[in-house]
Amino acid sequence: AQTVTQSQPEMSVQEAETVTLSCTYDTSESDYYLFWYKQPPSRQMILVIRQEAYKQQNATENRFSVNFQKAAKSFSLKISDSQLGDAAMYFCAYRSADQGGSEKLVFGKGTKLTVNP
Amino acid sequence: DTEVTQTPKHLVMGMTNKKSLKCEQHMGHRAMYWYKQKAKKPPELMFVYSYEKLSINESVPSRFSPECPNSSLLNLHLHALQPEDSALYLCASSPRELFSGNTIYFGEGSWLTVV
């Protein structure tokens, strides 16, 4: 079974600075998808960024980018120019590309990000 | 703005009550999900519907009863719940379950308190 590990329960960053959230995963599959979701105090889970494992190029979405290291099974999220609105719980998630196991998102335990003004 | 709409946003119910949570999406997605989330924990999958048919039940107690009347609607019927069932219930949808790369989109959730 796949597992996702977020080793940083909490992180903090100064406004306008850069922060990196760590995520590692364990899988025997070669094809899969990785996601970062953000959950602010409003509790809605919002997709931040997604990465297909077969793509070597790291995904980017405006101030958000990932460092995907497939061999190391690492999928970190970098937030540049941090804003107060980035404060939230961030979940790393894995989804199999195998049709038989594709229904489930496997979540890490989350990292709570605080942004200091 | 979310395109998965959940009602009610807050619900307080007694252990003998019968209530329902409702979820609606108009994105044409054919897979819909219920997740349960306790405080400071990641969401836990409860049910998956694919093309209006139940495809996954994660050994959820029968006091939770899902229903998918059509491709846009998903209900979760609640009966004889326990205080430990108090949690945030998240509905989600995705374009099609078997195309697993498709992103799962979440609603804002329904806060349930069982007293």
Side-chain angles (χ1 to χ4, degrees):
Chain A
Q2 296 84 16
T3 59
V4 176
T5 301
Q6 294 178 248
S7 59
Q8 307 152 315
E10 296 188 23
M11 291 281 286
S12 63
V13 63
Q14 290 295 124
E15 196 174 4
E17 295 189 346
T18 296
V19 65
T20 298
L21 308 184
S22 300
C23 173
T24 58
Y25 58 93
D26 187 24
T27 184
S28 58
E29 299 176 331
S30 59
D31 197 13
Y32 49 86
Y33 300 85
L34 297 165
F35 305 87
W36 278 99
Y37 282 91
K38 165 187 176 182
Q39 190 175 40
S42 67
R43 303 298 298 208
Q44 185 185 358
M45 295 282 284
I46 302 167
L47 176 70
V48 175
I49 201 165
R50 140 195 170 139
Q51 175 80 43
E52 291 89 345
Y54 62 85
K55 290 186 178 179
Q56 293 187 345
Q57 186 174 9
N58 290 326
T60 62
E61 286 289 340
N62 300 315
R63 297 182 295 105
F64 299 88
S65 62
V66 298
N67 183 5
F68 173 50
Q69 302 289 329
K70 190 173 184 179
K73 297 180 182 175
S74 171
F75 182 61
S76 60
L77 174 69
K78 185 172 83 171
I79 306 174
S80 303
D81 185 25
S82 297
Q83 301 176 358
L84 295 177
D86 295 333
M89 182 72 83
Y90 286 80
F91 291 100
C92 179
Y94 172 103
R95 190 175 191 188
S96 172
D98 171 37
Q99 288 190 357
S102 63
E103 300 86 354
K104 299 180 182 180
L105 271 180
V106 179
F107 285 96
K109 292 187 175 181
T111 296
K112 182 180 179 181
L113 178 66
T114 300
V115 180
N116 301 309
Chain B
D1 290 343
T2 179
E3 295 190 64
V4 178
T5 304
Q6 291 186 242
T7 56
K9 292 203 171 11
H10 297 272
L11 177 64
V12 179
M13 61 184 291
M15 289 188 283
T16 58
N17 291 159
K18 286 185 180 181
K19 297 286 185 182
S20 297
L21 304 180
K22 298 184 183 299
C23 175
E24 188 169 7
Q25 57 88 14
H26 294 290
M27 296 179 282
H29 291 173
R30 302 310 300 271
M32 296 187 76
Y33 311 76
W34 280 115
Y35 285 82
K36 173 183 178 180
Q37 187 178 22
K38 301 285 275 186
K40 300 183 180 181
K41 299 288 186 183
E44 299 175 1
L45 183 64
M46 299 175 72
F47 303 104
V48 180
Y49 273 82
S50 177
Y51 292 93
E52 297 95 69
K53 293 184 178 178
L54 183 65
S55 63
I56 290 182
N57 177 339
E58 289 286 279
S59 301
V60 179
S62 60
R63 58 186 183 268
F64 295 91
S65 175
E67 178 196 21
C68 190
N70 59 55
S71 61
S72 299
L73 294 174
L74 184 67
N75 299 321
L76 186 63
H77 302 299
L78 314 169
H79 174 55
L81 295 192
Q82 303 297 311
E84 59 265 29
D85 295 321
S86 298
L88 178 70
Y89 288 84
L90 292 164
C91 176
S93 70
S94 65
R96 183 184 169 190
E97 183 180 35
L98 293 182
F99 291 134
S100 60
N102 288 318
T103 301
I104 296 177
Y105 297 91
F106 289 84
E108 293 183 349
S110 293
W111 281 103
L112 173 67
T113 303
V114 182
V115 297

